[in-house]
Amino acid sequence: WQKREISNFDYLMYLNTLAGRSYNDYMQYPVFPWVLADYHSKILNLTSPHTFRDLSKPMGAQTVERKCKFIQRYKEVEKSEGDLSAQCHYCTHYSSAIIVASYLVRMEPYTQTFCSLQGGSFDVADRMFHSVKSTWESASRDNMSDVRELIPEFFYLPEFLTNANHFELGCMQDGTVLGDVQLPPWADGDPHKFILLHRQALESDYVSAHLHRWIDLIFGYKQHGSAAVEAVNTYHPYFYGDKMDLNNIKDPLIKSTILGFISNFGQIPKQV
């Protein structure tokens, strides 16, 4: 990878596999980074650093204001591991079954998966994945309970962005009827162009030079411990599957609560 003999996409898939992530498990689905921060320009400039997301910081620290809020949350909660109020920056996760299914909801079998996770129906229209720009703004700036990253399909599968099956996904409060995913202006309304440019962004010189910083956060030494605290990158203890020894928990209610928490909110990848 350092010699540029394999692509960034292939390297990330390799790391995901090493870390136990798999297409066969929605709870441990391959995780990919947001690489762009520009979802408003008519032309995408891949030579400008301002076009890109800060790969050295988790999604919760993309803006100074948001980062300060999560640091404040961390300081306010006394450490009490094994408790739902344990000390951490984030009580939600960047990858979970519902996040994966929500991205892919316009394609079967993910449509049925999403509905089953939602109790049998689609979510409220305003909460559905309907716009790349608004999803980025939610995960990077606006929503304190949203720190989601991306999935591999954002870099190779245009079909998940179109409502080819004509599912009735509902109507938003502003009157917008949900259909195809709204794309950034630089994609010209073309899912194939979006995927092409997005993949070019992933393989760009800027991302190639900074991708290792994101890898440290997700798969490496900034995943937990003091380095994670310093990087504003700590999650609820239940998310660290390899750190939780369920065999030592005798109370079936506590055990089922932890398992439910993990299945709903996701897991940290194994450290590579």
Side-chain angles (χ1 to χ4, degrees):
W1 175 66
Q2 287 179 319
K3 295 175 184 175
R4 300 284 185 98
E5 290 174 0
I6 62 170
S7 67
N8 291 337
F9 183 92
D10 288 339
Y11 186 53
L12 286 171
M13 284 304 300
Y14 179 68
L15 289 175
N16 270 286
T17 303
L18 279 180
R21 314 295 284 191
S22 166
Y23 282 117
N24 298 322
D25 187 348
Y26 293 128
M27 289 183 284
Q28 299 194 74
Y29 207 77
V31 56
F32 268 58
W34 287 95
V35 293
L36 293 173
D38 182 355
Y39 298 96
H40 55 269
S41 296
K42 293 229 169 154
I43 295 175
L44 191 63
N45 181 4
L46 295 180
T47 62
S48 169
H50 300 295
T51 300
F52 297 93
R53 166 256 180 107
D54 188 341
L55 287 159
S56 68
K57 295 182 175 69
M59 289 304 290
Q62 289 296 306
T63 68
V64 175
E65 183 186 9
R66 186 166 152 100
K67 179 181 177 182
C68 290
K69 285 181 181 175
F70 280 119
I71 291 173
Q72 184 181 357
R73 173 194 283 177
Y74 181 88
K75 289 178 178 175
E76 284 174 353
V77 180
E78 290 184 15
K79 187 162 189 180
S80 52
E81 242 179 89
D83 183 1
L84 285 172
S85 62
Q87 188 177 36
C88 60
H89 293 109
Y90 314 115
C91 295
T92 52
H93 198 245
Y94 49 77
S95 175
S96 66
I98 194 67
I99 289 172
V100 173
S102 70
Y103 280 144
L104 300 173
V105 69
R106 290 163 177 80
M107 296 173 59
E108 290 289 15
Y110 307 100
T111 313
Q112 294 306 314
T113 301
F114 181 84
C115 289
S116 65
L117 289 169
Q118 281 293 128
S121 62
F122 291 121
D123 199 357
V124 175
D126 286 83
R127 290 203 298 258
M128 296 278 286
F129 171 53
H130 66 277
S131 159
V132 178
K133 179 176 180 281
S134 66
T135 303
W136 159 255
E137 289 171 348
S138 171
S140 67
R141 188 187 70 199
D142 297 339
N143 188 345
M144 289 292 283
S145 62
D146 183 2
V147 292
R148 78 185 82 177
E149 293 278 7
L150 298 182
I151 54 175
E153 285 81 352
F154 272 85
F155 301 94
Y156 69 82
L157 190 70
E159 286 79 10
F160 87 96
L161 297 165
T162 62
N163 187 20
N165 292 312
H166 305 292
F167 291 120
E168 293 184 7
L169 302 172
C171 183
M172 296 172 64
Q173 286 184 342
D174 64 4
T176 304
V177 178
L178 295 196
D180 297 345
V181 175
Q182 295 171 13
L183 302 175
W186 45 260
D188 294 327
D190 182 350
H192 289 83
K193 185 172 182 180
F194 172 84
I195 295 293
L196 176 68
L197 291 174
H198 205 216
R199 183 64 174 265
Q200 286 178 3
L202 178 65
E203 305 299 341
S204 66
D205 289 340
Y206 180 90
V207 172
S208 297
H210 296 86
L211 186 58
H212 65 284
R213 295 178 179 273
W214 182 83
I215 290 168
D216 287 341
L217 294 169
I218 306 298
F219 301 107
Y221 78 105
K222 291 184 179 178
Q223 196 188 71
H224 54 76
S226 58
V229 175
E230 194 175 327
V232 194
N233 193 44
T234 66
Y235 296 82
H236 193 282
Y238 291 170
F239 294 149
Y240 297 86
D242 54 344
K243 301 286 184 289
M244 294 295 301
D245 189 358
L246 292 173
N247 294 323
N248 287 334
I249 299 172
K250 304 302 180 195
D251 188 324
L253 186 61
I254 294 175
K255 185 181 282 192
S256 66
T257 300
I258 294 173
L259 286 171
F261 199 91
I262 292 167
S263 64
N264 281 318
F265 295 106
Q267 284 179 277
I268 302 287
K270 290 177 185 171
Q271 191 171 17
V272 177

